[in-house]
Amino acid sequence: MYKGVLFDLDGVIVDTAGYHFQAWKRLANSLGTDFTTIQNEQLKGVGRVESLQIILDWGEIIKTKEEQAELCIIKNEWYLELSTNMDESEILPGVKDMLDSLKENQVHIALGSASKNAVTILKAVGLFDYFESIIDGTKTTRSKPDPQTFELGAEALGLKPSECIVIEDSIKGIEAAKSGGFDTIGIGQSETLDASIITVKDLTELSYNCEDGTLTILKRT
Ligand code: BG6
Ligand code: MG
């Protein structure tokens, strides 16, 4: 039984993982390099600056700190071009129902995302008010797979890691949650993510029961 849920944003709540991929790919191509969808799994959940460094390393490209800062700005402009007109139609299946059940039953809800655009996106899709705490890329100093994002989330809710469940779509985010001592549900494919945790296609595949501030959660059979 859990008392709180820590949601990742991109690829869990909203369908923005593809927009990040498109913007990074456009940036990589503009630098004369490229990367695959398989390599992209290593970028999911990782902060903007760290993601750029990974792409530069893959392409064996060297850039100064100033140039890297400029490239991050360009990538973000391209990402925002793709994502700022989002509305609630881009909320992923099952998210709204789960947030409503949690809220009605006083189960605590926090966001644990690397994105510095998290507040903008949550407001654009109308979900901002569900979150008691938002831990995003503006509040953390260490990128996933470091557990800091989720540790700060649990702390903000006044809960221990063992009292929270993390919902994540990225390899790095699942590593972060596990190393912080959190149980985790993966969104995606078990072979890509982590065979040792419950993995579902989306939140509609989960069966959960909220009562008196507690949550039990299982994969629907
Ligand atoms: C994560 C995404 O949620 O946020 C990554 O999975 C992204 O792809 C990271 O790079 C940082 O996002 P932003 O919006 O601050 O560039
Ligand atoms: Mg994600």
Side-chain angles (χ1 to χ4, degrees):
M1 281 210 289
Y2 304 100
K3 293 182 179 168
V5 183
L6 305 178
F7 288 89
D8 174 49
L9 176 72
D10 298 305
V12 170
I13 291 181
V14 278
D15 202 4
T16 40
Y19 296 153
H20 280 294
F21 175 59
Q22 284 178 50
W24 280 128
K25 204 170 166 61
R26 185 173 170 192
L27 192 83
N29 292 166
S30 77
L31 297 170
T33 185
D34 203 0
F35 61 90
T36 64
T37 51
I38 293 170
Q39 284 175 297
N40 186 54
E41 293 301 322
Q42 298 299 327
L43 299 179
K44 287 186 181 173
V46 178
R48 201 181 303 166
V49 174
E50 295 81 359
S51 297
L52 175 66
Q53 189 58 60
I54 295 170
I55 293 167
L56 293 176
D57 288 348
W58 285 336
E60 296 177 7
I61 297 167
I62 312 250
K63 294 282 176 195
T64 64
K65 285 284 162 220
E66 292 72 28
E67 287 166 335
Q68 290 184 30
E70 184 56 33
L71 290 170
C72 281
I73 291 170
I74 294 169
K75 184 268 173 177
N76 197 48
E77 282 170 3
W78 288 342
Y79 171 71
L80 289 176
E81 272 173 27
L82 294 164
S83 64
T84 37
N85 291 327
M86 289 180 76
D87 60 25
E88 60 187 38
S89 67
E90 287 179 80
I91 299 172
L92 287 166
V95 170
K96 191 83 169 28
D97 285 346
M98 186 166 180
L99 288 172
D100 281 330
S101 298
L102 297 171
K103 189 119 193 142
E104 273 163 30
N105 293 283
Q106 292 90 43
V107 178
H108 296 286
I109 305 171
L111 192 84
S113 165
S115 176
K116 293 187 166 134
N117 295 299
V119 169
T120 312
I121 303 259
L122 284 179
K123 286 188 174 163
V125 300
L127 295 180
F128 179 76
D129 290 337
Y130 282 94
F131 293 84
E132 289 164 60
S133 172
I134 293 186
I135 306 299
D136 62 13
T138 67
K139 304 223 175 96
T140 52
T141 50
R142 298 191 297 275
S143 186
K144 298 172 188 175
D146 188 284
Q148 187 192 38
T149 306
F150 299 124
E151 287 168 351
L152 291 176
E155 202 179 296
L157 297 179
L159 299 174
K160 296 190 223 100
S162 59
E163 295 175 309
C164 302
I165 182 123
V166 168
I167 308 188
E168 253 295 346
D169 71 316
S170 70
I171 297 168
K172 300 293 179 200
I174 291 168
E175 277 174 38
K178 284 177 95 174
S179 76
F182 294 86
D183 286 349
T184 314
I185 287 174
I187 305 288
Q189 293 189 322
S190 167
E191 313 82 68
T192 317
L193 296 177
D194 183 331
S196 73
I197 62 168
I198 294 179
T199 307
V200 290
K201 171 174 64 69
D202 59 44
L203 297 186
T204 63
E205 283 187 5
L206 290 173
S207 162
Y208 49 86
N209 186 33
C210 307
E211 246 177 314
D212 302 328
T214 61
L215 165 77
T216 46
I217 193 160
L218 291 167
K219 184 167 179 169
R220 212 179 276 281
T221 47

